[in-house]
Amino acid sequence: AGDDADRLQVLCLGNSVTFGYGVGDTETFESLLQRRLESVEPGRRRFVNAGVIGYNMYLVRLRLANLVSRGMKPDIILVDYCFNDQPSWPGEHYTP
């Protein structure tokens, strides 16, 4: 595996789908992609999970701006977003 500085940094943004709500850190799609691509092209990419449960696209945009202002320089930005059909945890708000 290559040094992290030599890898393409893939910043993954989005809501609970990106965060990995309900799964362990090794089961998020970023972790699965990382392992799969490492087996094919070792040391080429580094996936960074920056998903936040409950974020909408406006908040995702603010998160990206904040991460960049703090020095993150992603080579690739992957946005994964899912609209939930039904409330599944306390605190979710839906219009009728």
Side-chain angles (χ1 to χ4, degrees):
D3 207 357
D4 268 355
D6 298 331
R7 294 176 181 241
L8 288 175
Q9 186 174 66
V10 181
L11 177 62
C12 301
L13 293 164
N15 60 6
S16 57
V17 166
T18 306
F19 175 83
Y21 180 74
V23 300
D25 290 343
T26 61
E27 300 171 303
T28 65
F29 83 86
E30 297 88 357
S31 292
L32 297 173
L33 278 171
Q34 181 77 54
R35 282 197 305 276
R36 174 66 178 124
L37 291 174
E38 279 295 307
S39 73
V40 177
E41 297 179 322
R44 294 277 320 262
R45 294 167 199 87
R46 178 176 167 263
F47 286 81
V48 177
N49 185 345
V52 179
I53 294 173
Y55 266 29
N56 59 32
M57 289 306 293
Y58 174 75
L59 294 172
V60 167
R61 182 179 163 274
L62 291 179
R63 181 152 172 79
L64 173 60
N66 178 266
L67 292 169
V68 169
S69 75
R70 292 179 13 209
M72 183 168 278
K73 297 177 184 174
D75 298 293
I76 299 168
I77 298 171
L78 177 63
V79 178
D80 187 38
Y81 196 82
C82 178
F83 294 96
N84 296 322
D85 297 326
Q86 300 180 46
S88 60
W89 55 275
E92 287 182 302
H93 301 285
Y94 293 87
T95 56

